[in-house]
Every structure is written in C-alpha cells, then in structure tokens.
Amino acid sequence: MSSNRIGVVGAGTMGQGIAQVLAASGCEVQLYDVADEQLERAKGGIGKGLDKLVAKERLSSEDRDSALKRLETTSKLEDLKECEIIIEAAPENEELKERLFRDLSQLGKEVILASNTSSLSLTQLAAVCDQPERVVGMHFFNPVPVLKLVEVIRAEQTSDATVKKIEQLAEKMGKTAVPIADSPGFAVNRLLVPMINEAAFLVQENAATPEAIDQAMKLGAAHPMGPLALADLIGLDVCLSIMEVLQQGFGDPKYRPCPLLKRMVAAGYLGRKSGRGFYHYE
Ligand code: NAD
C-alpha cells in the first residue's frame, strides 16, 4: 500500500474535480468508474481544468504534465487495492453506495474509505463494512478546484486515526477541513438549503420577486450571489431532495419543502441545467 496513492470512485462532476486537485497536489491517483466513456470524458475534463490553471499562471506547464502523469483510470475495482485512501463520489443512491462500500471494504483491511455523499448517513454506510472505524465522510463542494471547504463527517464508528488522515489529506489538497457530526444535511446544506426554501416561500407569497430577493441578500447580507440564483445553479431538484432529507431526518415541520419548489421540479424547471428555474437561461 502506498501512502501517496489515492483512489477516487466515480468519474462524474465531483470525482473529476477531486481527482484533478489530488493529482495537482502530488498524489498518485487511481480514478475508477463503471463507464469507460465517463473515464475518457474525465481525463479530457481534468486536462482542461489544469490547462485553465496554467493559463491563469497558477500552475506551470511542467507541473500540469506531471499531474497528468500521476493520474490513472480504471474500470476494475481491484486496481484500487494499493490505495491508502479511497474517496467515493458515485451517484447519491443508498443501495448503490452500500454495495460499493461492502466491496471496497473487501479490498484490504486498512484502506480508509471516505464518501463524498451529500445526504446519506455515514454511520449506516460504515455498518455494512468490515473495520467500520475506517469509514468517514469527506464532503467536497462544487466546483472542487475552486471551493476550499471539506466537511469531515464522523460516523459513530469512525476512529480518531481515520479523521486525522482525512484532515491531513484535505490540507495537502489545499482545503480547509471542518469537523461535523453525522447528522442530516451536515452543516452547510442544513443552513443553506432552508434559506433557499424560505426564499421560494417569499416568491410563492408574492412578497418579493426573485430579482428583489437576490439583490436584498447580496446588498444586505453580503452574499456573493442571491439564494434563488444559487438555487438555479445547484439545481432545484437537488435543493428539493435535500429539504426532504432534512424533513425525514429530523421529523421537524420547519423543514417542509416549499410547495412552489415542488411544483417547479415537477414541471421540469430545474434551474440552469434545464434552461429555466427562478430565472430563464439561454
Ligand atoms: P455524477 O452523476 O456527475 O457522477 C457519478 C459518476 O459515478 C458517474 O460517472 C457514473 O458513471 C459513476 N458510477 C455509477 N455507478 C457507479 C458505481 N457502481 N461505481 C463507480 N462509479 C459509478 O454525480 P456527482 O454530481 O459527481 O455526485 C457524486 C457524489 O457527490 C454524490 O454522492 C453527490 O451527492 C455528491 N456531491 C455532489 C455535489 C454536486 O454539486 N454535484 C456536491 C457535493 C457532493
């Protein structure tokens, strides 16, 4: 097992970003996905991401080339055997992640298993693994190369040694690790998404337009973007599913999703990705 070799499971939006930052930070990266075409797309995406940093003079072209040499892709799970830490960024599906963690835990007794899940219980994921003390949450934010935060989520079973290793890796990646207990929505989503939901209530009640709400929060609370523009960026379906996780997880009516948000998702108005959300996009 090499202490500098990190596995990334899932080569989608988050897996790509995580693999890019790891490779640029000097780690040997083994990027795994079930879909070969996704691995090809990820290699192209990571190359472009690093090129952008070179263009901004934040990375030399030699460092870009050596980062790319440190990146390997595979569709065989066994190829992750030599990794010290594996970061999972597969789709947000409980059954899929549990199956994956059961398989990953069979690769070796010592490999640390981190999940980038936004909403699932780490305690439940750890429970399906042998040596559950090595399971932990490592929650990155999108876009990974830009946003500095990593929420480090401690399952009931997670050991201090596991948390320490993850904090060290986050630091190596130039990120700031913030420790959080395993509770629904962790910290950022539990604060941010109810604010978005409340902004949707304001629109539903005709209390203010989306433009007025966003301007108010930019000027009055110094937010870099308003909550409804942010909702469109995140995806209204993602916001709704986080509200549902909070509502189910806490059983508290204060987390009820706004009916307007539900109607917009049902209509396919998902934000930027569908061309229409609280705003219209070309
Ligand atoms: P995505 O759909 O972009 O990528 C998922 C990837 O996983 C795809 O490439 C898919 O081919 C692959 N995959 C499917 N089944 C797999 C399997 N069995 N094993 C390995 N790979 C498999 O998803 P994403 O947006 O990158 O999200 C990944 C995880 O990160 C989710 O848990 C999500 O909740 C979390 N997350 C997402 C964001 C975000 O803004 N997108 C932010 C923070 C956390």
Side-chain angles (χ1 to χ4, degrees), residues 254-266:
K254 77 178 174 182
Y255 295 114
R256 78 238 172 276
C258 172
L260 172 64
L261 186 64
K262 285 185 177 172
R263 281 203 303 279
M264 290 176 76
V265 172

Side-chain angles (χ1 to χ4, degrees), residues 197-198 201 205 240 243-244 246-247 252-259 262:
N197 194 51
E198 203 57 35
F201 271 112
E205 293 158 15
L240 176 59
M243 286 310 297
E244 287 166 347
L246 293 173
Q247 190 183 33
D252 188 327
K254 77 178 174 182
Y255 295 114
R256 78 238 172 276
C258 172
K262 285 185 177 172

Side-chain angles (χ1 to χ4, degrees), residues 9-16 32-35 38 77 88-93 96-97 99-100 115-120 139-142 189 234 238:
V9 170
T13 310
M14 297 303 285
Q16 254 180 64
Y32 163 85
D33 201 289
V34 284
Q38 192 62 26
L77 205 63
E88 170 275 321
E92 192 75 344
N93 173 304
L96 182 148
K97 284 203 203 270
R99 196 168 354 105
L100 204 45
S115 175
N116 185 47
T117 178
S118 315
S119 63
L120 301 176
H139 188 213
F140 290 87
F141 289 78
N142 187 18
N189 284 341
I234 295 172
V238 176

Side-chain angles (χ1 to χ4, degrees), residues 9-73:
V9 170
T13 310
M14 297 303 285
Q16 254 180 64
I18 295 166
Q20 178 186 318
V21 177
L22 283 168
S25 314
C27 300
E28 304 284 335
V29 184
Q30 190 65 260
L31 178 60
Y32 163 85
D33 201 289
V34 284
D36 284 324
E37 66 279 9
Q38 192 62 26
L39 288 171
E40 279 311 305
R41 217 172 294 142
K43 268 197 274 184
I46 292 170
K48 275 195 200 139
L50 293 171
D51 285 346
K52 261 197 224 162
L53 296 178
V54 173
K56 288 185 188 157
E57 296 184 354
R58 285 172 46 206
L59 187 76
S60 70
S61 38
E62 296 76 36
D63 287 348
R64 172 199 53 203
D65 295 345
S66 36
L68 286 173
K69 279 197 200 120
R70 283 192 288 269
L71 175 74
E72 281 176 31
T73 59

Side-chain angles (χ1 to χ4, degrees), residues 101-273:
F101 267 68
R102 212 172 283 127
D103 292 346
L104 290 170
S105 77
Q106 300 303 317
L107 288 175
K109 284 186 165 51
E110 280 165 36
V111 54
I112 289 176
L113 302 175
S115 175
N116 185 47
T117 178
S118 315
S119 63
L120 301 176
S121 159
L122 276 311
T123 302
Q124 219 171 299
L125 265 188
V128 303
C129 297
D130 298 333
Q131 292 85 32
E133 63 279 3
R134 55 175 165 160
V135 174
V136 65
M138 192 173 192
H139 188 213
F140 290 87
F141 289 78
N142 187 18
V144 180
V146 177
L147 295 180
K148 293 276 175 223
L149 178 66
V150 173
E151 289 181 323
V152 178
I153 296 119
R154 209 186 172 110
E156 288 301 319
Q157 307 92 323
T158 310
S159 67
D160 290 344
T162 299
V163 170
K164 192 155 177 225
K165 285 258 187 221
I166 292 297
E167 286 173 347
Q168 284 166 346
L169 180 63
E171 192 183 345
K172 184 171 181 182
M173 295 172 78
K175 304 292 179 200
T176 300
V178 171
I180 312 276
D182 184 19
S183 89
F186 314 133
V188 172
N189 284 341
R190 180 165 166 191
L191 292 166
L192 197 60
V193 183
M195 177 187 69
I196 288 171
N197 194 51
E198 203 57 35
F201 271 112
L202 279 173
V203 177
Q204 179 180 281
E205 293 158 15
N206 288 319
T209 62
E211 289 81 358
I213 292 164
D214 282 351
Q215 193 183 29
M217 290 306 282
K218 282 198 287 185
L219 299 180
H223 286 197
M225 76 195 296
L228 296 169
L230 180 61
D232 279 359
L233 186 68
I234 295 172
L236 302 195
D237 51 337
V238 176
C239 294
L240 176 59
S241 83
I242 294 171
M243 286 310 297
E244 287 166 347
V245 164
L246 293 173
Q247 190 183 33
Q248 281 158 20
F250 292 109
D252 188 327
K254 77 178 174 182
Y255 295 114
R256 78 238 172 276
C258 172
L260 172 64
L261 186 64
K262 285 185 177 172
R263 281 203 303 279
M264 290 176 76
V265 172
Y269 304 156
L270 306 181
R272 280 179 183 268
K273 62 186 168 192

